[in-house]
Amino acid sequence: MTPDAGHLPVAGRSEVRRATVRLVRADGRSFAAALLLNALAAAAGLAGPWLVGRIVDEVRAGAGVAVVDRLALGILVCALVQLLLARWARYAGHRFGERTLARVREQFVDRALALPASTVERAGTGDLTARGTADVAAVGTTLRDVGPELLVSSVQALFVLGAVFTLDPLLGLFGVLGTIPIWCALRWYLRRARDGYLAEGAATSQVAEIVAATASGARTVEAFRLEERRITASRDALDTSRRTRLYTLYLRTVFFPAVEVSYTIPVAGVLLVGGVLHARGAVGLGAVVAAALYLRQLTEPLDQILMRIEQLQSSNASFARVEGLAGAPRSVPDGGVPAPADDRIDVSGVRYAYERGGEVLRGVDLTVRPGERLAVVGPSGAGKTTLSRLLAGVDAPGAGTVTVGGVPVADLEPERLRRQVVLVTQEHHVFLGTVRDNLRIAEPAAGDEELWAALAAVGADAWVRELPDGLDNRLGPGVTATDGSQAQQLALARVVLADPHTLILDEATALLDPATARHTERALAAVLAGRTVIAIAHRLHTAHDADRVAVMEEGRLTELGTHDELVKAGGAYAALWRTWHTDGTP
């Protein structure tokens, strides 16, 4: 289960089998109950053809209407029993499927949340979204419908073949030999189906990624006139998706007609062989009729099995993609990491390069003392945002170390990381759910008093109290929409609840309008009190108010000191300061 560069991994066949076994064992009693009920339903269904054979033999022997009526009543009773048992079995199977699907969903969310942000960014949110929606839904369909139906049909098919062998071993042998063409068609299909459906799933993820990236970056696309390039990329992705879907369609159009033709072979073979044996007195006519009816009855479960196997190939590929998250890089190495000794942040000899670009950071050394306010300034492209990502543990350095209390920041598990360092940017998100749900993401155990205190700290308690249901009011499209200021306040309230000792601000108000920005900055002032603050400063008034200023140029830290010291030094910072004032931005 080794991921390609920039792609989330896909589980191999053995990993999928082991995961399936774990899911079955997790609800073994329900699975066993469904299997038993299916077996009983299949056994009840065997009585009909056998009783028809008895009727044929009784009529040939001269029996009266009373005997035929009694046997026909037996057929009716057995059919009713089979119907009731089959419905009960499907109910048990669906309950097992829904509970198992819930486990798959919960496990997927846990694994997705444990992924480092850098891994998600390299793979693309489209891939993760496709796995969490279309692929999980396909797995759910299998567990709820395909699995139980396949189980029912498999048990019925085995019982039918067993019944034919019980009637006459030679008839049973010819019936089994008649299924060889079906087996050959199935082998041809299975050798190709998994790879075909995996390719289809990957192509679907690529389409989702391109659409999501284009939609989220619509302003950038318009500003740089990239419409044609994005349209071309979308068409290429859709063309690839179309080809993969046509290939899986080709597999189905070959497989199913071949199977449909093959269904008549076992019945025809048994009738021919049975006729010869009956003419020689080796087998009774009733046995031949019953065997033919059994094999004709085999058509329905066999058809269901093959159809469900076809669906299983698609869902198997989906399950491989869902289970593949287990092989993705984790946020925490095996065995965990020790707790940081203190709140001091040390950057030592850090170098970093993105996969598709040159080196962005070149040997950065920096120490941030607890409680300090540090401003990081420099021209665009100097590496400021990259440094903030390393300080926040979003990415790990290619060389050197970034530690908090002597522990690598990127190795901290998510729960501990957000108690240490939190990155606040201009991007914020309101999750579908209640106000309480949105806040408890940061602290699941927080009580209502803590939630209200966090809202009050950022100035959001007033508008939340005005909502019809307060903390229980649902947020999102079609319910209660939030504006930019409210969304940012909720994000900052989560920061208050997480209570990190260090906040990294990467222009948290850059994209907001002036009025909203003022509200947000007042909220930020409450959040920043008593914490270490590292501000990526594009507006130099932030640097003026900081304890120290770090100047970055071309990926290097070139100056470090207070505002007054750097202005007096007459270096790069002094030039930036003079330019800022000359442009009339006081």
Side-chain angles (χ1 to χ4, degrees), residues 320-373:
R321 286 163 50 78
V322 171
E323 187 63 22
L325 259 65
R330 308 256 64 81
S331 295
V332 187
D334 292 339
V337 294
D342 52 40
D343 298 342
R344 171 173 162 154
I345 295 177
D346 291 295
V347 180
S348 178
V350 164
R351 310 182 77 89
Y352 186 83
Y354 291 103
E355 289 183 2
R356 298 181 181 179
E359 200 169 44
V360 181
L361 298 179
R362 303 175 176 89
V364 177
D365 294 292
L366 177 67
T367 295
V368 184
R369 299 182 292 267
E372 182 179 20
R373 294 200 172 197

Side-chain angles (χ1 to χ4, degrees), residues 450-464:
E450 296 171 276
L451 299 182
W452 283 117
L455 290 169
V458 299
D461 57 326
W463 65 264
V464 172

Side-chain angles (χ1 to χ4, degrees), residues 549-573:
V549 179
V551 182
M552 294 197 67
E553 295 178 281
E554 297 181 349
R556 293 183 175 86
L557 186 61
T558 58
E559 295 182 359
L560 183 63
T562 66
H563 167 78
D564 292 336
E565 290 171 348
L566 296 183
V567 169
K568 289 179 182 178
Y573 179 77

